[in-house]
Amino acid sequence: MDRIDLFRTFARVVECSSFTRAADTLGLPRSSVSAAIIELEGRVGARLLHRTTRRVSPTQDGTAFYERCLRVIADVEETEELFRQSTVGPAGKLRIDVPGRIGRLIIAPALPEFLALYPQLDIELRVTDRAVNLVEENVDCVLRVGPLSDSGLVARKVGDLPLINVASPRYLAAHGLPQQPGDLVAHLAVNYASPATGRIEDWEWIEGGELRTLPMRARVTVNSAEAYIACCLAGLGLIQIPAYDVQLHLNAGELVEVMPNHRAAPMPMTLLYPHRQYLARRLQVFADWLFQLLKRDAL
């Protein structure tokens, strides 16, 4: 391996905390990855990794060296892209992971526009609402909605996704129109349980600048956005949902916004990617395009 490939291999081992997983993502034999790390440690004259039967982690020297490696790799990739884009533009494949309904309703219909702008780029579009390990699953960037844990990834905020309260005309004909949060005790919701934790989300609204919550009565609980909307359309209760998610139903009169002055706090929408991808030109042009698309059609 040349020096930059040694740096890339070392960075991937640190990110995967495993020689085997790093080898899988790089498409190399495990023995080649192990030999590369031994060679690199010999070149720099320091032990870079702690090795146990269960886990690989950087030493103090390894942590400092990892940060320098990321900068060097990014500089090399940026330089390569600089000359490549002067002739053919950004090229290669981008693997992105997005929430299911954003992918289906907003991103997929607009992709022909992006691919026409960048004919040398291909997209692998993955849709899921679960947490994704970008390194182990070989994903370039992830779009997520809601609060973030401290993942060590680069986080670029897209904006705040407005939430609205909606019900079907069928439900309102049977139960009446709630005018304010105090009316909710006489109403039903479709409850939403987190797919990750099973926790049922309370009804929320902002009042006097403060977040208020109320557990709602419900006869149906779901754990997916598709089922959440379907049950609301069926007249089974009120829901709180991103506005873009139900805009077509609102336009068709199949759902009606209720209590517009008592909405939940908007949810942050964020694009996440590893440090090693920070300067990749193909990721930059996609992120810029995605930002404009989401601000136009979701925010």
Side-chain angles (χ1 to χ4, degrees):
M1 290 186 183
D2 64 22
R3 192 168 301 177
I4 191 65
D5 285 335
L6 290 176
F7 287 179
R8 287 187 174 113
T9 302
F10 169 70
R12 189 61 58 89
V13 171
V14 171
E15 291 161 352
C16 291
S17 301
S18 163
F19 284 99
T20 300
R21 287 199 294 272
D24 289 343
T25 65
L26 292 167
L28 296 173
R30 186 189 185 285
S31 58
S32 297
V33 172
S34 180
I37 299 304
I38 292 172
E39 179 182 348
L40 184 61
E41 289 180 324
R43 279 176 178 254
V44 302
R47 186 175 181 83
L48 300 174
L49 296 172
H50 294 297
R51 302 159 173 84
T52 70
T53 55
R54 292 187 177 184
R55 184 176 175 83
V56 176
S57 60
T59 63
Q60 184 174 353
D61 288 338
T63 299
F65 189 70
Y66 171 68
E67 295 298 327
R68 297 295 292 269
C69 277
L70 293 180
R71 293 201 292 272
V72 171
I73 293 168
D75 285 343
V76 169
E77 290 182 351
E78 182 185 27
T79 303
E80 290 173 344
E81 290 283 350
L82 182 65
F83 291 100
R84 204 177 289 135
Q85 73 187 41
S86 65
T87 55
V88 297
K93 177 180 283 188
L94 272 174
R95 297 172 178 86
I96 64 173
D97 190 282
V98 301
R101 288 184 63 81
I102 290 178
R104 182 170 68 82
L105 295 177
I106 296 178
I107 297 176
L111 274 181
E113 163 198 325
F114 177 78
L115 295 175
L117 289 172
Y118 302 102
Q120 301 300 317
L121 276 178
D122 296 327
I123 298 291
E124 184 176 311
L125 179 64
R126 307 179 184 185
V127 291
T128 177
D129 295 310
R130 67 176 175 82
V132 171
N133 186 309
L134 277 73
V135 175
E136 291 186 12
E137 299 184 42
N138 199 23
V139 175
D140 294 302
C141 63
V142 172
L143 181 69
R144 283 294 168 259
V145 174
L148 300 174
S149 59
D150 184 9
S151 62
L153 300 172
V154 177
R156 182 179 174 186
K157 187 173 179 179
V158 180
D160 292 310
L161 194 62
L163 299 176
I164 61 175
N165 314 308
V166 298
S168 70
R170 178 178 174 182
Y171 174 86
L172 296 176
H175 299 274
L177 176 68
Q179 301 283 353
Q180 55 189 1
D183 298 336
L184 292 174
V185 293
H187 283 268
L188 295 170
V190 178
N191 274 347
Y192 184 84
S194 165
T197 66
R199 178 181 174 274
I200 294 176
E201 305 292 341
D202 288 342
W203 192 271
E204 297 183 357
W205 70 96
I206 300 296
E207 185 176 308
E210 295 185 4
L211 177 66
R212 309 285 186 179
T213 63
L214 177 72
M216 289 285 290
R217 290 190 308 125
R219 300 194 64 192
V220 177
T221 300
V222 301
N223 67 350
S224 78
E226 297 286 350
Y228 196 48
I229 295 168
C231 287
C232 186
L233 287 166
L236 293 171
L238 308 164
I239 64 171
Q240 296 186 303
I241 194 86
Y244 83 87
D245 240 336
V246 291
Q247 192 59 56
L248 293 178
H249 297 299
L250 292 169
N251 294 344
E254 297 166 342
L255 293 176
V256 177
E257 183 177 4
V258 300
M259 297 189 298
N261 296 324
H262 298 89
R263 293 180 174 182
M267 299 177 69
M269 183 185 292
T270 312
L271 192 66
L272 303 169
Y273 42 90
H275 284 274
R276 62 184 172 82
Q277 294 284 6
Y278 188 72
L279 292 176
R281 175 65 179 161
R282 60 183 178 273
L283 182 55
Q284 280 187 345
V285 298
F286 177 78
D288 291 342
W289 173 82
L290 182 62
F291 269 53
Q292 295 305 314
L293 175 69
L294 294 172
K295 286 183 177 180
R296 184 187 74 197
D297 293 348
L299 302 178

